[in-house]
């Protein structure tokens, strides 16, 4: 008993001494260890790299990109943006493509890559040797392994490099290898359009060869910016690092000046309607349930629109026009022809259904409604399914711009129907939303800031096409082979 009491008193005495020492020494001091010892001179590039990593973790704004081009196949036939890659940063112009996953640009060693463009843009080539932050992706790299699983990459065992080879539906193609380097971008936060500069390391393609249409200079760009939902896409890479939300949005202007808005984030607009994505698909598939023309539902069996190994409805900004399932096409065209006003004269031109119009097409043609799962309808104005041709004796000629998917029940929603709408790809909630909108206006985009949204202004990269009249009979149809597979033998890959 006495021994226990003695030990208790001793412990209390020592505790009292410790507390006295702490109180008498307040405020206490702490020794700071240098991350880099003073004896070791660190390169500024290393310090900047550390800061970039930290800034990446701090980023809570909305990433915005400029937009150029227009849907009109007789002017440009595609929408593109600019990205800045490497150190020092070099600007590249790339097509906006939701039908593929990978961002790639032409390399300095590229055979067949165009050196000039009929658009008012300066083409560049990427040189990994000239970028102080660039590194070649090896076959053992995690991103290469991911690409192997999704068929976005291959392995060059001889050089131990992660490589790729993409073929396109028009017979063109490109191949090269992957590099990891900095992507520089602007961010907007709060209810302001004020931007700040940020960067993050991403894996992208460095093309060493190009063929077919990709070699042409009339509407050439530096590469393609894939916005697919697989892990090789930039949107997936940035969202997995917590740098951006798992969502992106675009609003593409439909007039001849083109341009619009492209952001990594979700545009907030009260009238947006959403439809769920079909799961386990390689592309952005939606469940199209029916089509209405002038308020009348077309007599099309719903099974025509079902998603399967060779059927379905895909949203793809990399397709210039739009394509309707073969079994739905004739009922659609017949309904349009039956509903036009008496001032319209239907004619057939080179197998296409066209119309001679002497009044406004808004008044002369019916409204079309694409009705999707989730009670979400996409309303198409006449200019969303018609394509203007040359005038005939002073009257305007308009043709059905939505094409037939020959031999397949595949529907592809390309730029013809996506323009003049906010399109939201909410990957976190696996849904796509849309609403009619004037894409020259600013939009509010959800962000991680305390105010909740950031304001982003619409704009346009200035373009100019040489000899535009010669393009009227040669519309651009740059469609990835994955989309051509969708037209012909669409193979569904469960991932």
């Amino acid at each position: 008993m006495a021994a226990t009491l003695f030990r208790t008193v001793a412990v209390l005495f020592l505790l009292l001494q410790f507390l006295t020492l702490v109180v008498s020494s307040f405020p206490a001091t702490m020794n700071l260890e240098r991350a880099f010892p003073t004896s070791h001179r660190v390169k500024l590039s290393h310090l900047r790299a550390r800061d970039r990593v930290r800034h990446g973790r701090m980023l809570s704004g909305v990433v915005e990109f400029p937009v150029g081009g227009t849907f009109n196949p007789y002017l440009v036939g595609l929408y593109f943006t600019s990205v800045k890659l490497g150190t020092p940063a070099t600007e590249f112009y790339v097509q906006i493509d939701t039908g593929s996953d990978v961002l790639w640009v032409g390399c300095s060693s590229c055979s067949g890559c165009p050196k000039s463009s009929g658009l008012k843009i300066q083409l560049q080539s990427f040189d990994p040797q000239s970028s102080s932050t660039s590194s070649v992706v090896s076959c053992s790299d995690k991103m290469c392994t991911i690409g192997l699983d999704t068929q976005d990459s291959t392995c060059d065992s001889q050089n131990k490099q992660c490589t790729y080879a993409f073929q396109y539906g028009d017979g063109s193609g490109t191949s090269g290898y992957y590099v990891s380097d900095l992507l520089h971008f602007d961010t907007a936060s709060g209810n302001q359009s004020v931007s700040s500069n940020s960067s993050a390391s991403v894996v992208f393609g460095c093309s060493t060869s190009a063929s077919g249409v990709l070699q042409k200079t009339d509407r050439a760009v530096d590469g393609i910016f894939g916005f697919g939902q697989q892990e090789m896409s930039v949107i997936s890479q940035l969202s997995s690092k917590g740098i951006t939300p798992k969502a992106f949005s675009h609003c593409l202007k439909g007039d001849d000046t083109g341009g619009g808005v492209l952001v990594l984030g979700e545009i907030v607009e009260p009238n947006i309607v959403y439809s769920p994505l079909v799961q386990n698909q390689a592309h952005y598939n939606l469940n199209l349930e029916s089509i209405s023309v002038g308020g009348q539902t077309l007599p099309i069996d719903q099974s025509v629109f079902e998603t399967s190994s060779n059927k379905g409805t895909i949203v793809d900004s990399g397709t210039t026009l739009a394509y309707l399932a073969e079994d739905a096409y004739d009922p659609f065209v017949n309904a349009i022809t039956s509903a036009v006003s008496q001032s319209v004269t239907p004619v057939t031109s080179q197998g296409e259904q066209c119309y001679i119009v002497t009044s406004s097409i808004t008044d002369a043609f019916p409204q079309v409604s694409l009705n999707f799962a989730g009670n979400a309808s996409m309303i198409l104005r006449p200019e969303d399914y018609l394509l203007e041709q040359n005038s005939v004796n002073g009257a305007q000629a308009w043709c059905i711009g939505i094409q037939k998917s020959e031999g397949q029940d595949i529907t592809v929603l390309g730029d013809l129907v996506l323009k003049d709408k906010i399109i939201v790809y909410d990957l976190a909630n696996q849904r796509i939303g849309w609403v009619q909108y004037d894409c020259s206006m600013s939009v509010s985009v959800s962000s991680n800031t305390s105010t909740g949204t950031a304001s982003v202004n619409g704009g346009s990269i200035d373009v100019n096409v040489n000899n535009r009249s010669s393009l009227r009979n040669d519309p651009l149809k740059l469609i990835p082979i994955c989309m051509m597979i969708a037209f012909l033998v669409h193979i569904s890959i469960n991932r």
Side-chain angles (χ1 to χ4, degrees), residues 190-211:
N191 293 314
Q192 301 177 358
S193 58
V194 178
S195 298
S196 60
N197 297 325
S198 301
S199 62
S201 179
V202 297
V203 171
F204 59 93
C206 190
S207 283
T208 56
S209 71
S211 62

Side-chain angles (χ1 to χ4, degrees), residues 280-353:
N280 301 318
Q281 298 298 310
H283 307 294
Y284 293 116
N285 283 72
L286 294 175
N287 277 315
L288 178 61
E289 296 180 337
S290 65
I291 300 176
S292 301
V293 174
Q296 299 296 314
T297 301
L298 301 183
I300 303 172
D301 194 306
Q302 192 171 355
S303 63
V304 171
F305 302 122
E306 291 178 353
T307 300
S308 65
S309 60
N310 61 348
K311 298 168 62 176
T313 300
I314 299 169
V315 179
D316 178 25
S317 68
T319 296
T320 302
L321 303 176
Y323 295 79
L324 192 60
E326 183 178 54
D327 290 344
Y329 189 79
D330 288 341
F332 170 74
V333 173
N334 293 337
I336 297 294
T337 303
S338 298
V340 297
S341 68
Q342 295 182 348
S343 63
V344 175
T345 303
V347 295
T348 301
S349 173
Q350 297 179 346
E352 301 291 337
Q353 181 61 60

Side-chain angles (χ1 to χ4, degrees), residues 91-359:
E91 187 173 38
F92 299 90
Y93 294 95
V94 286
Q95 182 182 1
I96 302 167
D97 182 19
T98 61
S100 62
D101 297 316
V102 175
L103 164 63
W104 65 263
V105 295
C107 248
S108 55
S109 58
C110 183
S111 171
C113 287
K115 303 300 181 183
S116 62
S117 175
L119 305 177
K120 191 184 296 184
I121 57 177
Q122 182 65 48
L123 298 185
Q124 301 284 350
S125 58
F126 183 77
D127 184 3
Q129 301 299 322
S130 299
S131 174
S132 62
T133 49
S134 176
S135 62
V136 176
V137 177
S138 67
C139 292
S140 60
D141 190 280
K142 178 183 177 182
M143 288 301 295
C144 190
T145 303
I146 290 173
L148 290 172
D149 293 339
T150 58
Q151 301 181 4
D152 284 325
S153 70
T154 54
C155 177
D156 181 350
S157 57
Q158 182 177 356
N159 297 318
K160 297 183 179 179
Q161 289 182 342
C162 189
T163 58
Y164 62 88
F166 301 138
Q167 295 297 313
Y168 295 84
D170 54 12
S172 63
T174 184
S175 61
Y177 60 93
Y178 287 103
V179 296
S180 176
D181 209 338
L182 292 179
L183 168 67
H184 305 266
F185 42 78
D186 295 327
T187 61
S189 59
N191 293 314
Q192 301 177 358
S193 58
V194 178
S195 298
S196 60
N197 297 325
S198 301
S199 62
S201 179
V202 297
V203 171
F204 59 93
C206 190
S207 283
T208 56
S209 71
S211 62
V213 173
L214 292 176
Q215 295 179 306
K216 292 187 175 182
T217 60
D218 53 357
R219 287 160 291 193
V221 289
D222 290 309
I224 291 179
F225 198 164
F227 277 86
Q229 57 185 325
Q230 304 304 328
E231 293 179 88
M232 287 293 285
S233 70
V234 169
I235 182 65
S236 294
Q237 292 185 55
L238 294 180
S239 62
S240 67
K241 297 176 181 179
I243 295 176
T244 62
K246 197 172 184 179
F248 68 95
S249 311
H250 59 67
C251 192
L252 308 174
K253 289 176 60 180
D255 60 20
D256 287 351
T257 62
V261 176
L262 171 63
V263 294
L264 306 189
E266 184 177 350
I267 294 179
V268 179
E269 179 67 22
N271 296 320
I272 292 180
V273 296
Y274 288 90
S275 184
L277 283 167
V278 181
Q279 297 300 298
N280 301 318
Q281 298 298 310
H283 307 294
Y284 293 116
N285 283 72
L286 294 175
N287 277 315
L288 178 61
E289 296 180 337
S290 65
I291 300 176
S292 301
V293 174
Q296 299 296 314
T297 301
L298 301 183
I300 303 172
D301 194 306
Q302 192 171 355
S303 63
V304 171
F305 302 122
E306 291 178 353
T307 300
S308 65
S309 60
N310 61 348
K311 298 168 62 176
T313 300
I314 299 169
V315 179
D316 178 25
S317 68
T319 296
T320 302
L321 303 176
Y323 295 79
L324 192 60
E326 183 178 54
D327 290 344
Y329 189 79
D330 288 341
F332 170 74
V333 173
N334 293 337
I336 297 294
T337 303
S338 298
V340 297
S341 68
Q342 295 182 348
S343 63
V344 175
T345 303
V347 295
T348 301
S349 173
Q350 297 179 346
E352 301 291 337
Q353 181 61 60
C354 301
Y355 308 88
I356 305 301
V357 185
T358 57
S359 61

Side-chain angles (χ1 to χ4, degrees), residues 10-25:
V11 170
L12 290 175
F13 176 76
L14 292 174
L15 181 60
L16 181 61
Q17 280 192 317
F18 173 76
L19 292 174
T20 301
L21 177 62
V22 171
V23 173
S24 63
S25 301

